[in-house]
Amino acid sequence: MAANKPKTPRPDMAQPHRAGDIRSFPGGKVSYLSPVPLPTGSAPVDFNQAIGEVHDAYLDFGGSLPTPFTWQFTLGIPFITFLIMAIVFPLFSASMTASVEYPFLSEFKIFFPVGFELGAWGGGLILALALFIKAQYHFKFRNDVPTRFHRQRREVAFAPGGGKPPIIVPWESVAAWVTQAQGATQYGVQRQYGLGLGLIDPETGQQHFLELPQPGLPLAMGLWESVRAYMEYEVHTREEIQDPNGLHCPGDPPYEGVHTFHNARRRLHRRYRDGEIGLFKVSMWYLWHILDLWTIPFHLAEWEIRAIQKAGRKSLPASLDEWSQPLPREQWAEPSDELKRLSAEVRQRHAQQPNRPITAIFAEVYAEETSLSA
């Protein structure tokens, strides 16, 4: 049976949308969170570190650096595959065929060479595929141009590329949506989630999109909330959205590496001494990191970051340098009255009904707003 991947169509930005709107398509739906970026109530978390630089004046969306997690996945899956085939398979097979006539040890010696060879081939093929995908992402990191969110101006700068000048639009006009899609494949039901941003060039009317796949719906919501909370002065640093467990210490480099591994291990031991966690969680932490090759992924992440920094990477055009500068406090742009009013109403209703879908609250608030103005 051929794979039938879920389709996630882009919305038509020329059609009016607002937070709370839901558009269904075969196999999924698009839920709008903006324009007029209302608070979602989600925790602001940038799990995949899609956010790059964060300053007092602006935040760069995209252009982030590689993380050890990608190397853990790249190396860990092939290594676990090898262990299963080379160790678990011979042990299981020997236990099933062992008897008085054929002792367990002799059976294991028969199955072990077969399992080792299968594991070496299987793990090697998976490793080659994973490294190929990792190389593609490596060059993507180098070529990505970030989109800059200037909270003091309450504007967003997008570089369309191809030598075209950057596009600057009001923050509250940017559309944001989360996509949920699923479809049948030969391996079962495949689900996809993503965060999308859209804007329209005010001069040409051309539509531009940013789309980022996410591991789950809460993480897609959390990534958008990170940007929204920054623009509304609710978060101020990258550590607040990328380091909720406090794994960066003063003086550490501003990226994940060997230092975060050792900080995490010290934090684990402190929590165990304080009675916050038990021996089981400590054991699982060590088992997981042994299976993903201890500090090797962290060293490789640091090596890749140095390679990207040495090779240089694309950045926003120099014409935006002046636009990116901080403004005097008296020149800061203010949120619209509509955003202030609707945000307060959304927060109040979300506090009263925390388990209700936030998009339903958005739609309800807008419906009442429309009826009152009619």
Side-chain angles (χ1 to χ4, degrees):
M1 181 173 66
N4 181 23
K5 291 186 178 181
K7 295 182 179 180
T8 55
R10 289 176 171 176
D12 183 3
M13 298 299 302
Q15 301 297 320
H17 299 106
R18 62 188 182 188
D21 288 350
I22 296 178
R23 299 288 183 266
S24 298
F25 59 88
K29 64 179 181 179
V30 173
S31 304
Y32 282 87
L33 308 175
S34 182
V36 184
L38 302 178
T40 66
S42 300
V45 176
D46 178 18
F47 178 78
N48 285 338
Q49 302 201 12
I51 293 171
E53 293 186 69
V54 179
H55 299 289
D56 290 340
Y58 66 81
L59 171 151
D60 280 350
F61 188 82
S64 58
L65 292 172
T67 64
F69 177 78
T70 58
W71 280 106
Q72 287 177 320
F73 186 84
T74 300
L75 301 179
I77 298 300
F79 183 59
I80 291 172
T81 300
F82 170 75
L83 290 179
I84 290 174
M85 297 303 298
I87 304 299
V88 177
F89 168 72
L91 287 173
F92 176 78
S93 300
S95 65
M96 295 296 293
T97 59
S99 63
V100 176
E101 203 172 329
Y102 300 99
F104 174 83
L105 185 58
S106 63
E107 291 293 283
F108 178 79
K109 289 180 179 179
I110 294 174
F111 286 109
F112 177 74
V114 178
F116 187 91
E117 184 175 358
L118 290 174
W121 277 104
L125 290 174
I126 295 174
L127 177 61
L129 177 61
L131 288 174
F132 174 75
I133 297 173
K134 190 71 180 70
Q136 290 184 314
Y137 275 97
H138 172 80
F139 291 104
K140 184 176 183 294
F141 279 124
R142 289 172 54 175
N143 294 323
D144 273 350
V145 179
T147 298
R148 182 160 293 174
F149 291 77
H150 200 304
R151 65 178 178 181
Q152 295 175 0
R153 296 181 182 273
R154 295 185 70 78
E155 292 178 337
V156 180
F158 174 80
K164 298 179 181 178
I167 299 166
I168 298 177
V169 300
W171 153 240
E172 294 184 24
S173 72
V174 175
W177 60 87
V178 290
T179 304
Q180 306 172 64
Q182 66 178 32
T185 73
Q186 63 265 45
Y187 306 108
V189 176
Q190 179 184 3
R191 291 180 174 85
Q192 291 182 336
Y193 304 92
L195 171 67
L197 303 181
L199 50 90
I200 298 178
D201 187 335
E203 295 185 2
T204 65
Q206 184 177 0
Q207 302 181 33
H208 298 278
F209 300 91
L210 292 170
E211 296 168 300
L212 290 89
Q214 294 294 303
L217 183 61
L219 296 176
M221 296 282 285
L223 177 56
W224 167 247
E225 185 64 17
S226 299
V227 178
R228 189 209 65 81
Y230 170 82
M231 291 296 287
E232 303 302 333
Y233 295 90
E234 296 169 19
V235 300
H236 306 279
T237 64
R238 186 166 57 180
E239 286 71 25
E240 292 176 79
I241 55 179
Q242 293 182 350
D243 186 31
N245 294 321
L247 298 183
H248 279 84
C249 295
D252 284 345
Y255 51 78
E256 287 191 54
V258 181
H259 55 283
T260 52
F261 173 87
H262 292 302
N263 292 341
R265 189 152 61 101
R266 284 191 287 267
R267 180 176 180 269
L268 179 80
H269 291 174
R270 178 188 57 75
R271 295 183 66 199
Y272 177 68
R273 289 194 303 270
D274 294 344
E276 297 179 28
I277 58 175
L279 187 60
F280 177 77
K281 285 192 174 181
V282 175
S283 302
M284 290 298 100
W285 188 93
Y286 274 93
L287 176 61
W288 160 249
H289 283 89
I290 289 171
L291 290 176
D292 63 34
L293 303 179
W294 203 239
T295 60
I296 292 177
F298 295 84
H299 284 287
L300 288 172
E302 291 188 352
W303 166 80
E304 186 178 9
I305 290 170
R306 288 194 297 269
I308 289 174
Q309 291 174 337
K310 183 178 179 180
R313 55 192 311 185
K314 293 185 177 180
S315 59
L316 285 167
S319 60
L320 285 175
D321 288 347
E322 184 177 351
W323 177 88
S324 300
Q325 297 304 310
L327 297 175
R329 180 64 182 85
E330 61 273 12
Q331 296 181 20
W332 289 10
E334 296 293 332
S336 67
D337 292 337
E338 179 187 16
L339 178 60
K340 292 179 182 177
R341 183 178 64 256
L342 294 177
S343 295
E345 187 65 28
V346 166
R347 286 193 174 94
Q348 179 183 350
R349 298 193 185 201
H350 182 63
Q352 295 170 347
Q353 300 174 298
N355 296 323
R356 191 179 180 196
I358 195 66
T359 49
I361 295 177
F362 290 166
E364 181 180 84
V365 169
Y366 266 116
E368 293 185 6
E369 181 90 357
T370 303
S371 64
L372 289 174
S373 60

